[in-house]
Amino acid sequence: MKAFRETTRELDNLYSVFSKQCGLSEPEYWSLLMIYEGVVTQSKISEQLFLSRQTLNSAFKQLVKKGLIVLKPYENNQRSKKAILTPLGKELVEKQVIRMHQIEEQTWEKLAKQEQDSLARLTRKYADVLSETLQEMKRQKNEIKSSEDLQPQL
């Protein structure tokens, strides 16, 4: 487990370095990429990146301040806004973020097909089992809390 944790931290650090090279925080970097890919609401991006709304809101404010996105209200819902890349934002994504995709692809291609399949399959399996375990822990915690709520108060 220790080796796996060290490896995932190293991967996280590599992605962090790249976002910084682009002049962005990690939430800004990933948000720009998701907006480019068509995910345009803060709630959807927050959900997919597992970021708090507060963290994402701060990232969006910085992206607006840097001139990389604009926020436009939906016609039928003025409270909800969609993020749209500005020309500068689109240029940054296409030059920098897409470059990272190309680096990832080149790196991936250096692995044998069997290694690619195994890495993807085992990583998916680990994520699924971890998710199931966390959900079970949450259920157990809720069951304990519910049973405590039913106890008579002294």
Side-chain angles (χ1 to χ4, degrees):
M1 190 69 236
K2 182 180 178 185
F4 181 76
R5 286 185 187 131
E6 288 173 0
T7 301
T8 57
R9 272 195 299 272
E10 187 177 333
L11 281 170
D12 287 344
N13 287 336
L14 290 169
Y15 280 99
S16 178
V17 166
F18 190 78
S19 66
K20 287 178 180 138
Q21 287 177 346
C22 294
L24 303 168
S25 69
E26 287 181 68
E28 292 169 354
Y29 173 86
W30 291 110
S31 295
L32 272 183
L33 178 60
M34 294 195 76
I35 294 164
Y36 183 79
E37 292 175 344
V39 182
V40 295
T41 64
Q42 284 185 345
S43 62
K44 285 287 185 193
I45 292 172
S46 172
E47 181 182 300
Q48 290 187 21
L49 294 179
F50 302 101
L51 293 173
S52 72
R53 289 181 187 260
Q54 181 180 5
T55 297
L56 197 61
N57 190 44
S58 295
F60 269 52
K61 284 182 181 179
Q62 288 301 310
L63 292 171
V64 169
K65 186 177 178 181
K66 292 174 181 179
L68 301 173
I69 66 169
V70 293
L71 299 175
K72 299 226 176 185
Y74 284 96
E75 289 178 25
N76 57 348
N77 181 353
Q78 296 294 306
R79 289 182 49 216
S80 186
K81 296 179 181 172
K82 60 182 170 183
I84 300 169
L85 291 174
T86 63
L88 181 63
K90 187 174 181 183
E91 179 183 343
L92 178 71
V93 170
E94 290 176 348
K95 282 186 177 177
Q96 299 293 328
V97 179
I98 299 301
R99 190 173 108 228
M100 184 60 184
H101 278 276
Q102 292 168 340
I103 292 168
E104 288 174 313
E105 289 290 332
Q106 290 168 358
T107 303
W108 188 256
E109 292 302 319
K110 290 180 181 178
L111 300 175
K113 175 74 170 121
Q114 184 179 357
E115 291 173 321
Q116 294 170 355
D117 293 344
S118 294
L119 180 58
R121 181 179 49 78
L122 290 171
T123 304
R124 174 80 275 147
K125 182 176 183 177
Y126 180 78
D128 290 344
V129 172
L130 182 59
S131 177
E132 290 169 11
T133 303
L134 292 172
Q135 289 174 6
E136 181 59 30
M137 288 175 62
K138 185 176 178 180
R139 274 194 296 278
Q140 289 174 356
K141 184 178 177 182
N142 288 339
E143 287 172 8
I144 291 169
K145 184 171 174 26
S146 295
S147 67
E148 289 173 351
D149 291 345
L150 296 174
Q151 298 293 321
Q153 299 296 317
L154 299 178

